[in-house]
């Protein structure tokens, strides 16, 4: 999560800070409230990136807009890849790690990698992580009083994955 917080979460935090800086002063915008908003955007950032990682290896609609398993071709250590490499390493299996270093473009090789991720339970673990993050987003959103717009965005992202928001 640390890497994602610095990457995707950083973009979300930057946008939030710009809005808070440019907004007119408001008595309800205390330091505690700013921290709550920061936690919310960080959690949404990790949720979004982890969901994107999951969809990259598992969703047909996603593949129509992007290349199948684009993260493998780009040599990215996404959540399901990291999980799978870690689990496989404990069994002295470094096939996925070595394939990732080659940045495969061949569909059959990528499909083999997805099977490796399934065998290590990484897709299910990623799906469970996305669900946990979804719950965290809504818990944090509740602490700031909710937001119909954020709720609508979350609904749309969850629909891509086939889960309830």
């Amino acid at each position: 999560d640390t890497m994602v917080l610095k990457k995707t979460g950083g973009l979300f935090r930057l946008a939030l800070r710009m809005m808070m800086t440019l907004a007119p002063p408001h008595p309800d915008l205390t330091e505690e409230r700013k921290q709550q908003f920061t936690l919310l955007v960080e959690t949404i950032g990790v949720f979004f990136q982890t969901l994107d990682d999951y969809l990259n290896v598992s969703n047909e609609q996603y593949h129509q807009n992007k290349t199948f398993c684009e993260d493998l071709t780009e040599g990215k250590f996404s959540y399901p890849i990291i999980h799978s490499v870690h689990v496989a390493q404990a069994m002295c299996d470094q096939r996925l790690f070595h394939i990732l270093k080659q940045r495969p473009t061949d569909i059959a090789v990528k499909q083999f990698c997805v099977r490796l991720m399934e065998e290590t339970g990484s897709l299910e673990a990623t799906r469970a992580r996305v669900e946990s993050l979804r719950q965290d987003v809504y818990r944090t959103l509740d602490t700031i009083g909710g937001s119909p717009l954020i709720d609508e965005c979350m609904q749309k992202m969850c629909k891509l994955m086939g889960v309830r928001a």
Side-chain angles (χ1 to χ4, degrees):
D1 288 352
T2 304
M3 180 175 64
V4 175
L5 278 173
K6 292 182 180 188
K7 180 186 166 198
T8 308
L11 291 172
F12 281 60
R13 270 192 317 279
L14 176 64
L16 176 65
R17 286 185 184 142
M18 288 174 61
M19 287 188 291
M20 285 194 278
T21 300
L22 297 173
H26 195 280
D28 291 341
L29 194 57
T30 62
E31 283 305 312
E32 180 184 353
R33 195 96 163 123
K34 288 178 183 179
Q35 289 175 356
Q36 290 171 331
F37 282 117
T38 300
L39 176 61
L40 177 64
V41 297
E42 288 176 345
T43 308
I44 290 172
V46 175
F47 168 82
F48 175 79
Q49 186 61 56
T50 309
L51 175 60
D52 186 67
D53 292 348
Y54 177 78
L55 295 174
N56 185 265
V57 296
S58 68
N59 185 283
E60 288 298 320
Q61 286 179 319
Y62 188 91
H63 300 156
Q64 292 171 5
N65 295 325
K66 286 189 165 188
T67 310
F68 175 64
C69 291
E70 190 174 75
D71 289 349
L72 287 169
T73 302
E74 294 176 357
K76 288 183 181 176
F77 282 92
S78 66
Y79 190 92
I81 292 171
I82 292 170
H83 183 279
S84 188
V85 166
H86 180 73
V87 170
Q89 192 172 12
M91 299 181 292
C92 298
D93 181 352
Q94 295 187 337
R95 290 177 293 176
L96 182 59
F97 179 72
H98 290 299
I99 293 170
L100 182 67
K101 288 193 308 186
Q102 296 171 22
R103 298 179 177 224
T105 57
D106 183 74
I107 298 294
V109 173
K110 292 180 182 184
Q111 289 169 333
F112 175 72
C113 291
V114 171
R115 281 195 302 279
L116 290 175
M117 286 184 253
E118 288 171 342
E119 289 171 9
T120 56
S122 299
L123 296 185
E124 187 53 42
T126 305
R127 188 176 177 84
R129 180 68 178 135
V130 169
E131 173 57 21
S132 173
L133 289 164
R134 182 196 67 78
Q135 292 174 11
D136 291 348
V137 168
Y138 277 104
R139 261 193 301 280
T140 307
L141 192 56
D142 285 346
T143 66
I144 63 167
S147 165
L149 186 58
I150 293 174
D151 184 53
E152 183 182 340
C153 290
M154 289 294 294
Q155 297 272 349
K156 288 179 181 179
M157 287 189 281
C158 289
K159 185 177 179 181
L160 286 172
M161 193 172 152
V163 297
R164 64 177 176 78

